[in-house]
Amino acid sequence: MKKVCVIMGSDSDLPVVKKAVDTLKELSIPYEAHIFSAHRTPEEARDFALSARESGFGAIIAAAGMAAHLAGAIAANTTLPVVGIPMKSSALDGIDALLSTVQMPSGIPVATVAIGGAVNAALLCAEILAVEDETLAKKLDERRQHARQAVLEKDASLQVSL
């Protein structure tokens, strides 16, 4: 199975990014996590992106706040799918990161999830990998069924309490 790389712009992003890592673990998807900055370590970020396919990765998650150029900088240097997680910051509540992540020029796509949407970033990467992996596709189907059942149980509980 291909690996997923989870890249964060700063270790301060870890509490949110850990949700993506936990989701990948739950689905038994191999992963690596790194801290690279599009602005403070641009060469390292570029080198990683250029070699990611040869290193066995099938998708990359990039989480960054404020200027949020990390997902775009990674996507500019690989043709692997890149999923950006805009991170909430104190200045503009993550709207700046959202706009920076989602507004990519034609030819350099970045899939973008919600502000802080680490679980969905991991699930989107899993769905990408599941195109070629039936076992993973079944795990994703089971996860959806568990979520469905949880909602139905909550509804039943609500009906009893009313």
Side-chain angles (χ1 to χ4, degrees):
M1 177 186 296
K2 297 282 187 181
K3 300 181 286 185
V4 172
C5 189
V6 181
I7 303 172
M8 60 201 95
S10 168
D11 62 349
S12 65
D13 299 328
L14 185 57
V16 171
V17 170
K18 186 161 181 341
K19 295 173 187 173
V21 169
D22 291 344
T23 303
L24 295 170
K25 283 181 185 177
E26 174 190 323
L27 294 167
S28 303
I29 297 173
Y31 68 92
E32 287 182 19
H34 296 280
I35 299 171
F36 294 124
S37 168
H39 303 102
R40 294 180 299 260
T41 60
E43 293 86 8
E44 291 82 358
R46 179 181 175 274
D47 290 347
F48 170 81
L50 288 171
S51 65
R53 185 180 301 277
E54 293 76 31
S55 298
F57 292 99
I60 299 169
I61 296 171
M66 301 175 80
H69 186 59
L70 183 59
I74 296 296
N77 290 292
T78 186
T79 55
L80 289 174
V82 176
V83 179
I85 305 172
M87 300 296 289
K88 188 174 182 178
S89 62
S90 59
L92 298 173
D93 234 16
I95 298 298
D96 50 345
L98 174 64
L99 295 174
S100 294
T101 306
V102 78
Q103 289 296 115
M104 291 299 297
S106 292
I108 310 294
V110 170
T112 307
V113 296
I115 296 168
V119 172
N120 275 352
L123 289 173
L124 181 54
C125 288
E127 289 175 352
I128 291 166
L129 297 178
V131 168
E132 296 289 327
D133 186 325
E134 269 307 307
T135 302
L136 181 55
K138 287 179 184 174
K139 286 181 182 180
L140 288 167
D141 288 340
E142 290 169 4
R143 191 178 199 285
R144 290 242 178 136
Q145 285 302 320
H146 288 297
R148 176 182 176 273
Q149 190 59 40
V151 170
L152 293 174
E153 288 171 8
K154 289 177 184 179
D155 179 63
S157 177
L158 174 67
Q159 299 311 312
V160 169
S161 70
L162 296 177

